[in-house]
Structures are given as C-alpha cells and as structure tokens.
C-alpha cells in the first residue's frame, strides 16, 4: 500500500510540470493559439494601418504566413499530444500494474482470509477435541492413562501448533514475497521514473528542437514576407522618390525660369527707375536752382521792399507831420468857416427878409407882368397873323430868288457840261418849281375825335387804315367800351350824374374824354398805341389766349372782352401810363401852353433843302474836281511860261559859258 | 575610506585655493584625480547602508539614491527591519538567491518578496518540532509576513521527539497509528495559530509526513492523528480566504475526512479540494458528496483512494444536482461498474462538469454502455479519461457509437482498455472532428 503511494506521489511530483493533465494542455494550446491569433491580427492591423494600398497583397501574404503558422501549430499539437501520450503511457502502465496488484492483493486477501478461516476452524475443532480430551483425561484414574492422554493431548497441541506454525511460516513467506515484490516494485518504479525522466527529457529536447525549428520556419516565412513587402515598398518608394525628384527638378527649372524672368523684369525696372530718377534728379536740380534764383530774387526784392518801405515809412512820417499841420490848419479853417457860417446865417435871415419883401414885390410884378403878358399875347396874335402874311410874302420872294438861282446854277451846269466836258446835259427833276406858297398845314385829329369815330362805327374807313394797320377797328372799339365801363372811377361822379340823361354813345364818349384826359392820352395815335399795348400785354400775360387773338380779329366783342381780363385792365393801364404817357405829357403840355403856333417847320427845311440841293452832290464833286483840274492846268501853264523864261536865260548863259570855255581851251592849249 | 576622505579633504582644500598643498599631492600620487574622489552623497549613502540596521533610512531619500541604497543593502538584514520597509523586488530577489539559489518565480505570482516570505514561513513550519520548538518562533514571524503570504506549501511536518521506549512500542504496532490515540505527544504543528492570522492566504498544501528520513524510517513518522485532524479542520474553517486546499499522502481515512469536510461545509471561497493519495473510502466519499453541494467547489481530486461503488454512487448523486464543479478526478479508485453507471447517469443531468478522470477504476462493459449513453446526452464534458478499465471490445464499440453522437468531447483516453484498434481509431477521428469544431468556435470569439 505504501509503496504504491510513494510511487504515485513521485509520479505526481514528476508529472506536475511538463506533462500537465489533458485539460490543462488543452488550455495551454488554446491560450497559445489565441495569443498567436492576436499577434497576427495586430500585425495585419499594423500593416493595414501602414499602407492601405497594398492591402490585398498583404492579406494574401499574411494568409501564407498564417497557413505556415497554422501548419506548424498543428504539427506541434500533434507532437505534443504524441509526446504526452508517450510519457503518460508509463503512468498508465504503472496505474495498470497498480490496479492489477490491487486486484491481486484483494484476491490474496480473500484467499488468506479463507485460509485463515479454514485454519481457524480446524484448529478450533482440534482445540475442542483437546478440550474434550481434557475431560476424558480427568476421568482417567490411572497415571499411565493420564500420561497417554496427556501425551496425546500434547501431540494434538503440537499438531495445532505445527499447523499454526505452518500457517505462520506460510504467512511469513507471503510477507517475504510481498516484501520482495515491494522491493521489486520499487526498483521497477525507479526504473519507470528513470524512463519517465528520460522520455520527458527526450520529449523536452525534441519539443525544444521542433519549437526552434518552427520558430525558425515561421520567422523565415515572416522574414520572407517582410522582405517581399520591403522590396515592394522600396520599389514603390523609389518610384515615388523618382517621381518626386523629377517633379522637383521640373519645379526648380520652372522656378529658375521664373526667377530669370523676374530678374530681367527687375533689371528693367531698375534701369527704368534709375532713368526716371536721373530725370527727376535733373529736374529737381534745375528746380532747385530756379528756386534758389527765386530765393535770391525774392531776397533782393525783399531787401528792395524793405528799403522802399523804409523810405515810404519816412515819407509817411513826414506826411503825417504834414497831415497834422494840415489838420490844425483845417481846424482853424473850420473855426473860421463856422464864423463865416454864422455870418452867412445871419445874412440868410437878412436875405429871407429881403426875399420876402422882394417876393411881395415880385408877385406884384407878376400880376402886372401877366397883365402885360395877356396884352402881349394879343399883340403876338396880331403879330403872328402879320408874320404869317409876311412869311407868305417872304417865302414867295425867297422862293423866286431860289428858283432864279437854281435856274442860273442849272444853266451854268449845262454850260459846263456842254462846253467844258462835252457831255449831253439832262435837266434834273424839279418838282418844287410848280409849287408855290407856304407848305399846307396838316392838322392832327385828337384822341377824342378818334374815339368818337371809332365809337360811331365804321362809316369812314381807309383814312385810318394806315395808322392802325395791325388793329381792327372793332377791337379798338371794344377796348374803348371796356375802358369806359371799367374806368368809371376816373370820371368824376358829378359828371356821371350830368351824363345820365344823355345817349349811351355820347355818354361813353364824354366818359372816354374824361378818362383820356386823366390818363393823358391826347392824340389818335396814342389811342391806337394804347390798344396795341393792351393786346401785347394780354399776349404777355397769358399765352393761352394767343390763338384767340389770331382769330379774334373778326369776332364779337364778347370774345374780345374775354381777351383782356377786367382785373388785368387796371394793371395794364398803369403800366401803359408809366411807359408811354409821361414824356408826351410834358411835351404836349408845353405845346399846348405855347398853343398859338401850330405850324410845323420840319417840312420847310426839307423844302428849302430840296431847292438847295437841286445840284446833286456828285455834280458838286465834279465841279470841285473840274475846278482843281483847271487850277492845276492853270498852274502848269504858268510854270511853263516860267520855264520858257528860264530856258531863254540858260541858253543865254550856256552860250556865254561856251564862249568862256572856248577861251579857256584856247588859252590852255597855248 | 580614509584615503578617499583625505583626498576629499585635499580636494576641498584645493577649492580653497591652497595651491601649494595641491601641487605636493600631485607630485606624490600621479594616478590621483578628482574623478576618483567619491562624492559626498555616495559616502552618505554608504554610511546609510552600513548603519541600516540601526537606523533604516530609505523612503526619505530621492529616487536615485533609493535605488542606490537598495542595490547595496546586504541580504542578511533582519526581517524585522526589512519586511515592511522594503518593497523593492530586486532586493528580495537577492535575498531569495542568497538563501535558496535558483528558484522559479512564476509559481509565486512573479513576486520575489512573496516567494521569500512564503518559503521562509514554509521552512519555519517544516522545521517546527512540537513541544520542543517554541511557538514564538512562528508567532514572531507572522506579523512580518502575514501581508505577503498567499500560498503555503508545507511538504513535511515533523512529529515531536519522544522517548525511545515509546518509540519502540509504536514501532511494533502498525495499526495503532490509525487510531490516533497515541497521546498528545504525537500531534504535529497546530495550524490554528497560523491560518487565522494570514489574511491573504489562498492556497494551502499540507503533507503530514517526514521528508528524507532515510534509514531512520519509522511508521509513526507518518502519522496524522485525530487531534491533528481536528485542529487542521478548525484552522481551515477559520481561514475564510482559502481557495485551494490540498492534503496529500497523509493517511486521511473516512473519519478524518468527515471531520475535515464537516468543517469545510459552506466555506465561502474554497474552490479546489485535493485528497489525493489517502485512505478515503465510501463513507468519506459520501461526506465529500455532501460537501459538493454546500460549497463553491470547482475542482475535486480524490485520486488514489479506496472509494468503491457506494461512494461513487453518493458522489454521482451529488454531481447530478451540482452546477459548480468543473473537474472531478477519481483516478485509481475501485468504483467499478456500479459507480461508473451511477456517474454516467449523473453526467446526463449535469451541465457543468468539463473534466472527468475515471482511470484505473476496474470498470467493464456495462459502465462503458452507460457512459456512451451519457456521452450522447451530455454536452458539457470535454475531457474523459477511461484508461486502465477493462472495457473490452464491445465496450469500445459502444463508446464509438456514443462518440458519433457527441460533439463536445475533445479528449478521451482509452489506453489499456482492451478496445479494438478500429473503434479506437474511429473514436480518435470523432475527437479530432470535435477539436476542429471547438477551435472554429473559439477562433471567432478570440478574434472578436
């Protein structure tokens, strides 16, 4: 029992590490496999992370290495299980032996027990027999019998003892055998253990070897893989590098060219700027010089100005002094003047008094003189009539004289023409020859007459056609009516009262007369001017009425009244009076004051002029030219006579001189 | 030191513009240069290292100086100073290497400090001799290492030393040790004073035997007394953080097993229970079966015991209702056909068990029939070990048939079961197919 234990213990101890129980081995394999898988995965992941492009190839290659790894793994697992079996075979064999031994032991136990039981039974029987015999022996009386009995008893006992001894010896022998067996078992177990150790070592060595080999193989495969990958990547790298180099070269060339371009550009720019700079510099220099000159000039000017100013200052000072003197003089003068003024004032008062008195006397004189003036007027009229008579007489006399003169002039002209010039003479027109006497006096119609005419209607035409060419009678009439309707305030209310019983036409006529007198219109011209002004004014004021004025010439009075607004009429009238009437007023007043002589002298002058100018200007010029020519002719003739005289003298002198020369030449030749 | 001090001093003097002295020193020693003079800081640090025992200054230093000090601290410093002060791994690595030479750190959570304290505590316990060694030796260490010990693998427990007469007596009686009535003097180290003081303990392995006794072999060196058992059970109950408990080769029989299991009922964290190489038979198996459904157990190992059909039936009954257990190891027991059939029926109902080891259990064809049925129904089991059972050719065929309907089983050990080559091959094929399937199921999940 103990030996088995010891063996088992040893075995267990040996078994503990290298040859683990089956489940543990499984676990180990599993763990290894997991580790490998994890490593592989990590590798692949790393590779995947390194380059996604070579993904496919990497996968393929890893599959190769994976295959290799798996193959190795499988082989190792087989090797291990084989080795494990080999090693555990010993254990199993020992177990088998042990179990055999146990069964044997059990069997031996059983047999022994049986034997012992048998033996015990037989010995019991024998013992009982002995016991029985003891009672027999007690019965025995005789010593011989007793001795026999005792001896038989002894024999029996010896037999039992012998049996027992036999048994004991048998058992001892068994014990010895089992001891021997134990020793043998021990030896065998020792051998087994040796074998086990040997096998284990062998196993370890083989495993080590194969592991190494495997490792080598796997490493090789991985190396190869890595190498291929490396070469591939290198190639790729080279390719990429080359590409890059080329690109860089290209870029460099490009940049160089660009650089050159820029350098050229820079050079150009530099030159340009340098030129510009030079130009600028020169310009600036010239400017500087100019400016310097200017500065010099200005300095000089300044100096001059300073001197001038100094001088002027001096002058001013002197002037001031003079001014002061003049001021004082003026003051004195003012005082004097004041005195004079006072004197004058007093004089003035005196004068006023005197003038008042004079005025009085003068007014007296005036009355006297006006009386005289009236008388004088009477006389003047008288003299005027006389004068007119005398004028007529004078006129006729002068006319005759003038006519005679013209006759004479014409006669001379004719003589000049015919005799001197040899031209045919044509007498100029002489209209005034038929006329005789003073110029007919043309009288002007007054405004009121014209107004009355117009108001009366259109019985007499033609006479006024030329004066109011642009204006139709009807429009003028309508304007006049409008005036007399609107301008009632110009007429005195008393007059209006007086007029009320009169006829309408007359009424308006008188009204117009009053209005005209108020405005200051006297002649018919003025009336037409006014009408024209109104028309123009209306055209000025409102353009929209233009077409209506165009066709309004032959239209009714209502339309014309529309042409001039009643409100505008007053303003128009005001403007008209302001523009036209003022200067005429004074003139007409004068003439009206003078009044008596209505004769116009303007045509007289023309009349006389025409008489005077019966010889036209050209003819006068001709006469002038003829005169000068004749004069010149006369002069030439006179000069000729003189020259004739001179030539006679010179011819005389010449003959004298020739005589002299002849003398001299003869003398000299001698 | 003195030399360097003197040169240091001279250097200082130099800086104080004592030109003459400097010149004379150069004339005396051509090799001397200012670079050879140790810095004041290094001198100070060296002083700190030298007097670390009297005045441990470490955390007040700058990081660079701290590493300097830690690199040069001697491994022989008393634990009372270093235990809670130094957490630097390199220092503890040096300690471990100085004490034990080579060591595999991977079994100690890759922590040298943990390793140091675990092995330290382990050695103290392993060399503890009851009644002769003062318990203070253990109790003194405890406060130092309680925060760092997570696993405790006690590979031997020494019995108390006793008189030769007794020794002779015990030598004669072979079965008396089983009774555990040899008196108090046979008791081993009492775990009660230890376990409740280790707040981080997760794993405990105990072997009640003496290592390397050689020619001094005595049966009573390999004793696990009833009192030991009780004390151990109470200690286990007090340690609520424990996840793994192993007791190997300690002659745990039904009675002791019952005691231990009773104290482990409703333990909050226990996940693995290992009773390998003991003397547990049906009664103990029944107790363990009771424990199965009153704990969080995931792994149960009762290999090399004496469980027979009845015990296996009890375990199977528990297994049918259980949903935490993933691994069950019944190697080298005697459960035979009845136990095998019962377990197979339990497998039909169970949905969590992944590993099942029934090697060397004296099973034959009927068990194989039942197991093949279970294989058809079950979809959780991944590893099944049936080696060393006389299933026979028919049993192999039946299993083969069952395997054709299964799609989860990945491993099936049918060595030395008298199965036909053909059926073995076909079973292997089916397993292989399942392996590939599971791999495919796993791979996507792994990728995800």
């Amino acid at each position: 029992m103990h030996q088995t234990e010891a063996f088992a213990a040893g075995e267990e101890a040996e078994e503990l590490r290298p040859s683990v129980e089956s489940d543990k081995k499984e676990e180990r394999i599993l763990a290894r496999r997991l580790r490998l898988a994890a490593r592989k995965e990590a590798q692949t992941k790393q590779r995947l992370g390194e380059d996604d492009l070579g993904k496919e190839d990497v996968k393929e290659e890893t599959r190769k290495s994976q295959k290799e790894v798996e193959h190795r793994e499988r082989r190792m697992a087989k090797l291990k299980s084989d080795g494990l079996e080999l090693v555990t075979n010993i254990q199993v064999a020992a177990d088998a032996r042990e179990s055999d031994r146990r069964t044997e032991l059990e069997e031996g136990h059983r047999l022994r027990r049986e034997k012992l039981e048998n033996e015990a039974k037989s010995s019991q029987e024998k013992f009982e027999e002995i016991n029985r015999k003891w009672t027999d022996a007690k019965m025995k009386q005789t010593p011989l019998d007793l001795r026999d009995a005792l001896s038989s008893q002894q024999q029996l006992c010896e037999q039992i003892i012998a049996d027992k001894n036999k048994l004991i010896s048998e058992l001892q022998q068994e014990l010895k055998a089992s001891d021997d067996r134990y020793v043998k078992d021990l030896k065998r177990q020792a051998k087994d253990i040796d074998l086990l150790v040997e096998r284990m070592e062998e196993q370890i060595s083989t495993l080590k070897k194969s592991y190494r080999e495997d490792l080598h193989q796997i490493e090789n495969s991985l190396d190869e893989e890595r190498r291929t990958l490396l070469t591939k990547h290198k190639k790729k790298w080279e390719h990429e590098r080359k590409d890059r180099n080329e690109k860089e070269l290209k870029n460099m060339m490009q940049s160089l060219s660009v650089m050159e371009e820029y350098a050229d550009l820079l050079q150009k720019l530099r030159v340009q700027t340098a030129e510009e700079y030079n130009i600028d510099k020169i310009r600036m220099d010239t400017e500087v010089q100019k400016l310097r000159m200017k500065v010099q000039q200005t300095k000089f000017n300044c100096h001059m100005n300073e001197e001038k100013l100094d001088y002027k200052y001096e002058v001013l000072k002197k002037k001031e002094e003079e001014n002061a003197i003049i001021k004082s003089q003026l003051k004195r003068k003012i005082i004097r003047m004041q005195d004079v003024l006072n004197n004058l004032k007093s004089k003035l008062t005196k004068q006023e008094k005197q003038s008042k008195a004079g005025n009085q006397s003068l007014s007296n004189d005036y009355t006297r003189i006006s009386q005289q003036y009236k008388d004088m007027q009477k006389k003047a009229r008288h003299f005027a009539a006389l004068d007119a008579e005398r004028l007529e007489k004078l006129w006729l006399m002068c006319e005759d004289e003038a006519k005679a003169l013209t006759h004479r002039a014409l006669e001379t002209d004719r003589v000049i023409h015919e005799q001197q010039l040899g031209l045919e003479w044509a007498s100029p027109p002489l209209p005034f020859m038929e006329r005789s006497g003073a110029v007919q006096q043309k009288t002007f119609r007054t405004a009121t007459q014209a107004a009355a005419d117009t108001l009366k209607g259109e019985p007499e035409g033609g006479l006024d056609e030329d004066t109011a060419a642009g204006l139709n009678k009807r429009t003028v009439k309508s304007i006049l009516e409008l005036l007399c309707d609107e301008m009632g305030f110009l007429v005195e209310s008393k007059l209006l009262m007086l007029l009320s019983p009169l006829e309408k036409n007359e009424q308006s006529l008188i009204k117009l007369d009053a209005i005209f007198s108020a405005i200051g219109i006297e002649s018919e011209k003025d009336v037409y001017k006014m009408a024209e002004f109104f028309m123009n004014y209306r055209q000025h004021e409102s353009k929209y009425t233009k077409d209506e004025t165009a066709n309004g010439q032959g239209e009714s009075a209502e339309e014309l009244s529309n042409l001039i607004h009643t409100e505008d009429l007053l303003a128009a009238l005001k403007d008209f009076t302001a523009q036209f009437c003022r200067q005429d007023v004074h003139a007409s007043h004068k003439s009206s004051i003078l009044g008596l002589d209505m004769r116009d002298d303007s045509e007289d002058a023309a009349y006389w002029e025409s008489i005077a100018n019966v010889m036209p200007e050209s003819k006068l010029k001709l006469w002038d030219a003829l005169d000068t020519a004749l004069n010149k002719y006369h002069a030439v003739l006179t000069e000729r006579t003189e020259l004739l005289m001179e030539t006679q003298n010179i011819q005389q002198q010449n003959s004298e001189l020739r005589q002299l020369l002849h003398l001299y030449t003869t003398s000299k030749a001698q | 030191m003195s030399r360097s001090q003197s040169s240091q001093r001279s250097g200082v003097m130099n800086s104080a513009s004592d030109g003459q002295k400097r010149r004379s020193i150069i004339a005396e020693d051509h090799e001397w240069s200012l670079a050879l003079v140790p810095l004041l800081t290094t001198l100070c640090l060296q002083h700190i290292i030298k007097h670390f025992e009297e005045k441990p200054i470490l955390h007040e230093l700058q990081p660079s100086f701290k590493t300097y000090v830690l690199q040069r601290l001697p491994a022989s410093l008393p634990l009372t100073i270093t235990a809670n002060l130094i957490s630097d791994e390199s220092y503890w690595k040096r300690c471990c290497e100085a004490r034990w030479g080579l060591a595999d750190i991977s079994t100690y959570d890759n922590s040298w400090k943990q390793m140091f304290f675990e092995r330290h505590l382990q050695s103290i316990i392993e060399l503890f001799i009851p009644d002769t060694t003062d318990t203070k030796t253990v109790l003194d260490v405890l406060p130092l290492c309680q925060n760092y010990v997570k696993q405790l693998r006690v590979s031997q427990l020494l019995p108390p030393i006793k008189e030769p007469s007794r020794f002779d007596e015990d030598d004669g009686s072979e079965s008396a040790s089983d009774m555990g009535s040899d008196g108090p003097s046979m008791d081993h180290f009492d775990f009660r004073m230890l376990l409740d003081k280790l707040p981080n303990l997760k794993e405990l392995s105990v072997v009640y035997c003496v290592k390397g006794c050689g020619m001094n072999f005595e049966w009573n060196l390999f004793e696990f007394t009833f009192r030991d058992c009780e004390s151990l059970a109470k200690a286990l109950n007090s340690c609520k953080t424990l996840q793994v408990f192993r007791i190997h080769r300690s002659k745990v029989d039904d009675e002791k097993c019952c005691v231990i299991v009773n104290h482990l009922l409703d333990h909050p964290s226990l996940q693995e229970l290992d009773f390998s190489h003991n003397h547990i038979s049906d009664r103990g198996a029944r107790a363990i079966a009771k424990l199965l459904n009153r704990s969080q157990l995931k792994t149960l190992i009762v290999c090399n015991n004496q469980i027979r059909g009845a015990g296996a039936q009890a375990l199977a009954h528990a297994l049918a209702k259980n949903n935490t257990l993933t691994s069950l190891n019944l190697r080298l027991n005697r459960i035979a056909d009845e136990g095998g059939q019962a377990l197979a029926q339990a497998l039909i109902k169970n949905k969590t068990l992944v590993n099942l080891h029934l090697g060397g259990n004296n099973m034959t064809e009927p068990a194989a029939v039942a197991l093949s049925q279970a294989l058809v129904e079950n979809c959780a089991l991944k590893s099944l070990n049936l080696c060393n059972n006389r299933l026979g050719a028919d049993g192999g065929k039946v299993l083969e048939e069952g395997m054709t309907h299964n799609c989860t089983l990945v491993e099936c050990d049918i060595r030395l079961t008298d199965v036909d080559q053909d059926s073995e091959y076909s079973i292997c094929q089916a397993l292989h197919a399942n392996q590939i399937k599971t791999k495919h199921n796993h791979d996507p999940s792994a990728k995800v």
Side-chain angles (χ1 to χ4, degrees), chain A residues 102, chain B residues 254 257 275 278-286 288 300-315 328-336 339 343 360-361:
Chain A
R102 276 190 194 179
Chain B
D254 288 340
C257 178
F275 281 115
N278 281 307
H279 291 188
I280 299 164
S281 65
D282 293 344
R283 215 152 57 81
R286 234 171 277 148
I288 290 165
L300 175 63
I301 301 168
V302 279
C303 76
N304 201 2
N305 277 293
Q306 287 156 9
I307 300 167
R308 289 170 189 283
Q313 276 171 343
L315 281 174
L328 176 62
N329 194 335
L330 287 168
R331 190 169 70 92
L332 279 178
N333 280 292
R334 318 299 290 172
I335 62 169
L343 280 170
N361 263 307

Side-chain angles (χ1 to χ4, degrees), chain A residues 116-133:
Chain A
L116 279 172
E117 273 169 9
N118 286 345
E119 213 278 328
K121 226 182 263 173
S122 65
S123 63
Q124 191 69 33
E125 276 168 17
K126 276 173 188 170
F127 185 66
E128 273 170 13
E129 200 181 304
I130 288 163
N131 270 355
R132 227 182 310 128
K133 276 187 183 161

Side-chain angles (χ1 to χ4, degrees), chain A residues 408-460:
Chain A
R408 208 180 137 208
L410 284 170
E411 199 64 27
T412 48
D413 189 33
R414 192 184 53 87
V415 170
I416 287 166
H417 269 263
E418 282 172 358
Q419 288 181 2
Q420 294 291 325
L421 297 170
L423 291 169
E424 205 162 305
W425 185 78
S427 65
L430 300 167
F432 53 87
M433 284 303 187
E434 289 87 42
R435 249 182 75 173
S436 59
V439 180
Q440 281 285 325
Q441 282 299 311
K442 206 202 286 177
T443 48
F444 289 93
R445 288 192 301 170
T446 55
T448 38
Q449 280 168 338
D453 289 349
T454 46
L455 284 174
K456 266 166 201 162
E458 61 268 42
E460 31 155 11

Side-chain angles (χ1 to χ4, degrees), chain A residues 244-262:
Chain A
R244 191 178 170 276
N245 271 353
E246 278 172 19
K247 272 183 193 167
E248 231 167 50
L249 208 68
K250 215 192 279 175
N251 278 339
M252 212 171 74
M253 296 306 285
Q254 271 182 4
S255 59
L256 273 179
S257 64
V258 167
M259 240 164 70
E260 275 172 17
E261 272 176 36
Y262 281 135

